């Protein structure tokens, strides 16, 4: 009988195969999926909103949100008839913030770089499934600011950093992410697939990836890895973003990207030592 520690560290097993294990608790997974819907920009959700986002039956969502409210992971706002994150989730937040405190010590370097290139934002990213998460962040002197910060989450196909993580992933991990966008309308599936093929080609040629308005219209970005993939692998990706008027594709490729790659090489040994 396989130990759970062996299952978790078995790189040959896909996420879907791990979910089929007798050790996997589907109800718990669904509850965590509901909590993951709440973000910096999405702070309140009703049962119907949750059902549409997760694909779960409304009756299932009702039982889940009731349970999460009893455990204080959600609180019900009767004024708007929606749920918000509850105080029990704060303990997780503190634990996570403590685990990335070392990474956040590099924020002054991110700030200097953002100021140097006139970016709206510069961030260190990690991958979590089909998303990237900012674990360190700095806002630059750009006149128009992008409302992001530590904890910002973006889908891999929306973000330049996500496209880098995708490009350095093996086929099994790529297929896991693909399964998510296969739930989208056919035209959206085709667009994302085409953009990710282009991202892979861009990475293969230049060792960076760009994103032109993929997350938000008028916001362009470029990203690259911190280090060469040895040791713990492609753990961190550094990205910078700005308004399309200042950060057009040529500017990203020929002015920003070379500086970003130098900056990533500067950060790499500091990240390794954390």
């Amino acid at each position: 009988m396989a130990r759970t520690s062996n299952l978790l560290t078995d790189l040959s097993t896909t996420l879907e195969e791990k979910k089929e294990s007798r050790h996997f608790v589907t109800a718990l997974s669904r509850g965590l999926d509901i909590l993951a819907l709440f973000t910096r920009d999405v702070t309140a959700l009703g049962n119907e909103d949750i059902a549409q986002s997760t694909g779960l039956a409304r009756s299932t969502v009702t039982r889940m949100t009731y349970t999460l409210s009893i455990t204080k992971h959600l609180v019900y706002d009767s004024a708007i008839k929606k749920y918000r994150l509850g105080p029990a989730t704060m303990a997780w937040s503190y634990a996570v913030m403590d685990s990335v405190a070392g990474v956040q010590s590099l924020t002054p370097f991110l700030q200097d770089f953002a100021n140097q290139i006139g970016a709206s934002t510069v961030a260190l990213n990690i991958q979590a499934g089909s998303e990237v998460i900012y674990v360190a962040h700095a806002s630059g002197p750009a006149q128009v600011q992008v409302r992001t910060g530590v904890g910002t989450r973006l889908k891999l196909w929306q973000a330049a950093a996500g496209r880098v993580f995708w490009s350095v992933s093996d086929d099994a991990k790529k297929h896991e992410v693909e399964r998510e966008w296969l739930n989208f309308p056919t035209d959206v599936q085709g667009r994302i697939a085409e953009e990710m093929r282009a991202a892979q080609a861009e990475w293969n040629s230049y060792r960076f990836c760009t994103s032109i308005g993929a997350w938000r219209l008028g916001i362009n970005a470029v990203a690259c890895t911190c280090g060469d993939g040895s040791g713990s692998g492609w753990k961190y990706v550094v990205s910078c973003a700005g308004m399309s008027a200042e950060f057009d594709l040529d500017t990203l490729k020929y002015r920003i990207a070379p500086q970003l790659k130098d900056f990533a090489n500067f950060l790499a040994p500091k990240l390794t030592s954390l």
Side-chain angles (χ1 to χ4, degrees):
M1 187 179 299
R3 294 171 59 89
T4 54
S5 57
N6 293 335
L7 292 171
L8 292 171
T9 56
D10 181 4
L11 299 180
S12 66
T13 307
T14 67
L15 178 60
E16 290 305 312
E17 289 172 334
K18 288 183 170 69
K19 286 183 177 181
E20 292 172 2
S21 166
R22 68 180 183 82
H23 299 287
F24 187 82
V25 182
T26 301
L28 174 59
S29 176
R30 288 173 174 174
L32 294 174
D33 286 343
I34 289 173
L35 295 177
L37 295 175
F38 294 86
T39 67
R40 185 186 188 92
D41 297 316
V42 181
T43 59
L45 291 167
N47 284 337
E48 186 61 34
D49 303 321
I50 294 170
Q52 290 179 0
S53 296
T54 60
L56 296 173
R58 175 67 181 267
S59 58
T60 300
V61 170
T62 299
R63 293 195 300 273
M64 290 286 181
T65 52
Y66 173 79
T67 302
L68 290 169
S69 297
I70 296 300
T71 60
K72 306 301 182 184
H73 289 93
L74 292 179
V75 292
Y76 183 67
D77 187 336
S78 58
I80 59 173
K81 298 182 179 180
K82 292 189 176 185
Y83 294 90
R84 301 181 186 276
L85 288 179
T89 61
M90 292 183 68
W92 299 353
S93 301
Y94 291 138
V96 171
M97 293 299 289
D98 185 62
S99 70
V100 299
V103 176
Q104 291 183 6
S105 69
L106 301 179
T107 299
F109 297 118
L110 303 185
Q111 187 66 65
D112 288 345
F113 185 71
N115 294 340
Q116 174 188 332
I117 64 173
S120 292
T121 183
V122 174
L124 272 174
N125 304 256
I126 60 172
Q127 182 180 359
S130 64
E131 296 181 324
V132 293
I133 302 176
Y134 289 1
V135 292
H137 170 275
S139 297
Q143 290 185 345
V144 179
Q145 291 295 317
V146 183
R147 188 176 179 270
T148 53
V150 172
T152 290
R153 292 162 30 202
L154 301 173
K155 292 299 183 182
L156 295 190
W157 51 88
Q158 294 178 315
R163 295 176 179 197
V164 171
F165 279 119
W166 161 271
S167 298
V168 301
S169 295
D170 58 29
D171 289 342
K173 290 183 178 179
K174 283 186 170 74
H175 291 324
E176 289 175 5
V177 177
E178 286 173 353
R179 288 191 187 98
E180 184 167 336
W181 78 57
L182 290 177
N183 295 319
F184 299 160
T186 304
D187 59 328
V188 177
Q189 292 180 35
R191 175 178 56 78
I192 294 175
E194 182 179 350
E195 290 177 354
M196 297 309 269
R197 284 194 294 268
Q200 183 72 66
E202 190 172 45
W203 170 258
N204 292 344
S205 297
Y206 305 111
R207 288 298 188 262
F208 63 75
C209 290
T210 56
S211 170
I212 307 299
W215 170 53
R216 187 174 296 171
L217 190 64
I219 304 295
N220 298 343
V222 62
C224 65
T225 57
C226 294
D228 60 2
S230 61
S232 59
W234 307 101
K235 186 174 182 181
Y236 296 102
V237 167
V238 62
S239 61
C240 65
M243 302 304 296
S244 57
E246 292 81 23
F247 278 42
D248 58 47
L249 182 57
D250 283 348
T251 299
L252 288 175
K253 291 179 69 172
Y254 301 115
R255 183 174 74 84
I256 304 298
Q259 296 181 69
L260 184 67
K261 290 166 77 173
D262 288 342
F263 182 55
N265 289 333
F266 166 78
L267 291 176
K270 294 175 172 55
L271 289 165
T272 302
S273 65
L274 292 176

